[in-house]
Amino acid sequence: MSSKSHNFVIGFCFVILFGNAVSVDYGTALTKSLLYFEAQRSGKLPPNQRVQWRGDSALNDGKDAGIDLTGGYYDAGDNVKFGFPMAFTVTMLAWSVVEFGEKLEAKKELTNALNAIKWGTEYFIKAHTQPHIFYGEVGDGNSDHECWERPEDMTTPRNSYKVDEQHPGSDLVGETAAAFAAAAIAFNKSDSSYSSQLLIHAKELFDLAIKFQGQYQTSISVAGQFYSSTGYEDELLWAATWLLKATQDKTYLDYINDQATSSGGTRSMFSWDDKYVGAQVLIAQNLLEKKFPGDESLLNQYKKNAEEFICNCIHKGNNNIKKTNGGLLWWQPWNNLQYVTAATFVITSYADTLFATKNSLQCATGTVESSNLIMFVKSQVDYILGENPKKMSYMVGFGTNYPQKIHHRGASIVSIKKDRATVSCNEGFILWFYKNAANPNILDGAIVGGPDISDNYNDSRSNFQQAEAATANTAPLVGVLARLTE
């Protein structure tokens, strides 16, 4: 047998034994995931901007209120700055650094991750003009959605909307307090003074959220149709958990203990609207690491709920999450992948804590080791990155077969760097939205809504349920990819 034939046989056997011998390039996916946030930037872009098809935009934000509200992120394929999902995005990016900072540093992506966090926190600092005033949105979804314009050409209203003592928004400011506290931990090693500044904002916003309670869409009604909150108790718990982690102040532990009787129960998802799983997992990790002083009996309920959610995700529980035939976790037709990426993050994070503390997970159908959890996470991430029935990567720019016509204004219209001619509100629809061609700009790292329950995907700009990407989709995946990258 020639050496060439011998190698072929070895390779063939490897494929039979272990499936596809080509491993997924998590490192490249990680790099692209962080590039995505640069494409979503609003405001004046920095000199080190890597996504060159974007330009400065929304430079007058906040002028209607007499303040500077430039910066921050556009949430998805439109040009509105929705504070609620933006804060969740920043919290998850910060958690990625807190949990997997060393992995990010090893791949030379830690600076990019911190820059992504800071682009959000710098905007939140501007938006937090007084201890009990926070601006939670710039722009209006209805008027924005009537136009198809590059952010650089934007002509739609840029009204600023706030919450305060008379107009509460406990969910919005609670989530932003969590983002500030998580970011404070993320920056603690590299910039302790900035970390301290972030912590002051976190404490002030938590105080506002607790003392003046209410759902934010009652105060910012224009947000209700797009990012309506189902309640604020989860955000208050989430914020308290992050503030405890950042400060070790017993005040926050007391709050967590006080809420234990209504710990959220076993949730069906973790998302920008429902933070219970995130808080439960953080508390469970602290229990495993024996970081809580004194009586832990009340806190064990959080751990039980966190573990039941994970068991249900990996199909070892009493109320398992649906899956597609191709093996992808399935919640709903609209932007399903946001729930997949968020779930994979908490499972990954918890798996590492189980391993470090020499514990295993007890599910309804048996014991699960941390290595089994990581294998499950890999199956979900690999599906997203192309190991699926359609052999399509649902991360834009990754691999050779990925969505070409994603629902995204900036990506779908020729870059202002190439053609400075203004594309007006209606022109964008006529010239670009309805154009049967690939987007002229590649939105690297964007995670689209993803396939339907039958593993099918319709690559069309008008298919916003499947073809729109959002910052909340990609943010949790940053940490997961860092963890999987060897």
Side-chain angles (χ1 to χ4, degrees), residues 252-293:
Y252 303 112
L253 178 58
D254 291 343
Y255 181 86
I256 293 165
N257 267 311
D258 289 344
Q259 303 305 306
T261 52
S262 55
S263 62
T266 303
R267 310 307 289 179
S268 61
M269 63 178 60
F270 176 42
S271 73
W272 58 262
D273 180 36
D274 191 335
K275 319 297 165 37
Y276 273 119
V277 168
Q280 291 166 353
V281 165
L282 284 170
I283 294 165
Q285 287 175 312
N286 282 339
L287 285 168
L288 288 172
E289 292 165 353
K290 304 197 182 305
K291 288 184 177 176
F292 286 122

Side-chain angles (χ1 to χ4, degrees), residues 73-137:
Y73 290 109
Y74 302 119
D75 73 301
D78 52 36
N79 299 324
V80 184
K81 295 194 301 204
F82 291 102
F84 194 40
M86 194 192 307
F88 176 70
T89 293
V90 172
T91 309
M92 293 309 298
L93 286 170
W95 196 358
S96 298
V97 170
V98 171
E99 200 77 38
F100 306 110
E102 288 182 5
K103 298 273 189 182
L104 285 161
E105 192 164 24
K107 288 296 168 184
K108 298 183 169 52
E109 293 292 352
L110 180 58
T111 299
N112 290 324
L114 290 171
N115 287 344
I117 296 164
K118 197 168 189 175
W119 197 262
T121 53
E122 287 294 276
Y123 171 72
F124 294 148
I125 289 169
K126 292 179 182 180
H128 189 205
T129 54
Q130 293 180 36
H132 284 183
I133 295 177
F134 183 74
Y135 283 82
E137 181 170 333

Side-chain angles (χ1 to χ4, degrees), residues 346-367:
V346 292
I347 296 170
T348 303
S349 179
Y350 202 58
D352 282 359
T353 304
L354 287 171
F355 181 79
T357 58
K358 297 181 169 59
N359 281 286
S360 52
L361 182 64
Q362 303 303 319
C363 290
T365 61
T367 302

